[in-house]
Amino acid sequence: MDTTSTRAHDDIRTAPRALATEAVHAGRDDLARQGLHAPPIDLSTTYPSYDSRGEAARIDAFATTGAEPDGPPVYGRLGNPTVARFETALARLEGTEAAVAFASGMAALSAVLLVRGSMGLRHVVAVRPLYGCSDHLLTAGLLGSEVTWTDPAGVADALRPDTGLVLVESPANPTLAEVDLRAVAHACGSVPLLVDNTFATPVLQRPAEQGARLILHSATKYLGGHGDVLAGVVACDEEFAGRLRQVRFATGGVLHPLAGYLLLRGLSTLPVRVRAASATAAELVRRLAADPRVARVHYPRIGGAMVAFEVHGDPHEVIGAVRLITPAVSLGSVDTLIQHPASISHRIVDADDRRGAGVSDRLLRMSVGLEDVEDLWSDLDQALGRPVRGAGNCATRHTEPAPAH
């Protein structure tokens, strides 16, 4: 096998392709000329090289720009051909020049903060709610960052000379609140906007088209799609990707090749999975919104497979009563998951900050999978129990995006 081809520089494609086609073929365009159909898994940690002078020059070049070294691989912490295929494919789906994969979503976010911090730009402007651990990483200043929390309309006023990043999540975890990404990107000026696109995936929105410079995914979720891989990835321009690769090399937050293989495989069915689960979610939203046991339903205008709802009764009893739906943290798997954010995913966020961001103690977050809608509704119906006396029907709440500036 020609190892120089496994970096998946599939520039042989010239005509634009639909997202569903890219999901199947991106990162694999070199396989046929190698006589392969399925992408290979390269588990090597190191690679032979008889040209030590040439290898030194390649390492020097990487140290200068962070560009992927030309020629055969060098060492697993520097890069891996299987992981590179996933990075190429994800960049194509998000419409960016590059993507850099990490061992987890939090490792990916940490790398972004380290890149900006190394330039003396430690201040971050962020909009709540965010994923609970992202919130905690910023609030605790574990990487030396300082955060200013604001609403979307206040981003421009919150910027400082040392602001290195503006961070939003849309739809947000767990309330599914949406942000007008184009307006926020405009407000950022020259400061990079990072959008956590985990919930939407490139199937529902491509933040780069709306002005975001950095797109973050917890690839553990929809990109993998089967609850069997832990990973993170940042889609961005090649210049920023080079800095991210240097941080990844220095800190060791690399993605295992088997995870890269599973993620590439997951991308091939991403559009089908997201669209099918979204259709089921929309029907469950309709039923939940008409149910007197439910106080409020949160569902984003762009759709998707994530649903949040607040119950009149005890949310812990609902968690304990599901039988088909899995009560578990995480999301984006083929099976439906439900959890209580105030107890798990956002427990680490200060209670007042949590409630101020709309994460009430009665809120439940559900990641809708690929089961039949009638089976899911039957399980929800029995788990919700009897109606609370005096409770009325609720309405579905779509959070309005911030107006354009």
Side-chain angles (χ1 to χ4, degrees):
M1 181 178 67
D2 179 8
T3 57
T4 62
S5 299
T6 61
R7 287 173 56 196
H9 290 296
D10 44 4
D11 53 0
I12 61 172
R13 180 185 64 88
T14 56
R17 305 191 296 206
L19 182 77
T21 303
E22 288 284 31
V24 173
H25 290 280
R28 303 168 177 84
D29 286 323
D30 66 322
L31 292 179
R33 65 174 178 263
Q34 296 189 67
L36 299 173
H37 181 243
I41 307 176
D42 188 333
L43 295 174
S44 298
T45 57
T46 192
Y47 300 85
S49 173
Y50 295 94
D51 180 11
S52 56
R53 292 185 182 88
E55 193 155 282
R58 294 164 63 208
I59 292 175
D60 286 346
F62 176 82
T64 302
T65 66
E68 293 180 286
D70 292 327
V74 178
Y75 181 59
R77 188 153 48 85
L78 194 64
N80 173 271
T82 306
V83 173
R85 290 185 181 278
F86 163 66
E87 293 172 329
T88 296
L90 193 276
R92 291 266 284 275
L93 292 182
E94 283 289 7
T96 60
E97 292 178 345
V100 183
F102 294 86
S104 70
M106 291 308 301
L109 177 58
S110 296
V112 173
L113 294 174
L114 288 171
V115 166
R116 300 305 280 168
S118 70
M119 302 169 70
L121 303 170
R122 299 185 179 277
H123 180 241
V124 177
V125 175
V127 176
R128 280 185 171 126
L130 296 174
Y131 168 52
C133 287
S134 299
D135 188 309
H136 176 68
L137 180 65
L138 294 174
T139 302
L142 295 175
L143 297 178
S145 57
E146 178 188 350
V147 62
T148 296
W149 297 101
T150 185
D151 58 27
V155 166
D157 291 337
L159 298 178
R160 305 187 329 204
D162 63 337
T163 301
L165 190 69
V166 174
L167 174 58
V168 302
E169 184 175 2
S170 183
N173 186 354
T175 66
L176 305 178
E178 295 174 275
V179 174
D180 184 337
L181 298 180
R182 194 176 301 278
V184 173
H186 178 74
C188 289
S190 61
V191 177
L193 170 63
L194 184 152
V195 175
D196 188 329
N197 204 33
T198 299
F199 277 18
T201 80
V203 177
L204 300 179
Q205 73 180 8
R206 304 201 328 165
E209 296 175 349
Q210 301 178 60
R213 184 177 175 189
L214 308 168
I215 299 95
L216 172 72
H217 287 271
S218 173
T220 307
K221 288 28 178 218
Y222 287 104
L223 303 189
H226 294 75
D228 56 7
V229 60
L230 193 70
V233 64
V234 179
C236 55
D237 58 60
E238 177 56 35
E239 179 184 357
F240 204 95
R243 301 296 299 271
L244 288 173
R245 293 186 196 107
Q246 290 174 323
V247 168
R248 183 177 63 182
F249 175 73
T251 61
V254 296
L255 184 66
H256 191 275
L258 180 57
Y261 172 85
L262 291 173
L263 287 166
L264 184 65
R265 188 175 69 168
L267 287 184
S268 64
T269 61
L270 178 66
V272 176
R273 287 186 285 106
V274 169
R275 288 165 182 156
S278 298
T280 300
E283 174 58 21
L284 293 176
V285 164
R286 186 187 68 81
R287 299 185 189 190
L288 288 167
D291 197 301
R293 298 167 293 184
V294 177
R296 176 178 288 178
V297 180
H298 305 257
Y299 191 62
R301 292 187 180 278
I302 64 170
M306 297 301 300
V307 179
F309 59 97
E310 300 170 47
V311 295
H312 286 295
D314 187 343
H316 300 284
E317 291 184 1
V318 178
I319 293 290
V322 293
R323 294 295 176 264
L324 174 66
I325 298 170
T326 303
V329 72
S330 199
L331 56 110
S333 185
V334 291
D335 61 321
T336 299
L337 309 177
I338 193 169
Q339 63 115 339
H340 182 239
S343 296
I344 305 180
S345 63
H346 289 70
R347 187 67 180 179
I348 201 168
V349 179
D350 177 81
D352 289 339
D353 292 336
R354 188 171 65 229
R355 296 184 188 110
V359 186
S360 79
D361 291 340
R362 294 187 181 274
L363 183 75
L364 294 169
R365 190 195 75 187
M366 184 167 62
S367 168
V368 178
L370 300 181
E371 302 95 336
D372 186 87
V373 66
E374 297 300 336
D375 291 327
L376 290 174
W377 178 249
S378 177
D379 194 33
L380 277 175
D381 184 39
Q382 64 83 26
L384 286 168
R386 296 180 179 179
V388 176
R389 182 175 298 178
N393 288 357
C394 73
T396 304
R397 180 188 178 203
H398 296 278
T399 303
E400 294 287 349
H405 286 50

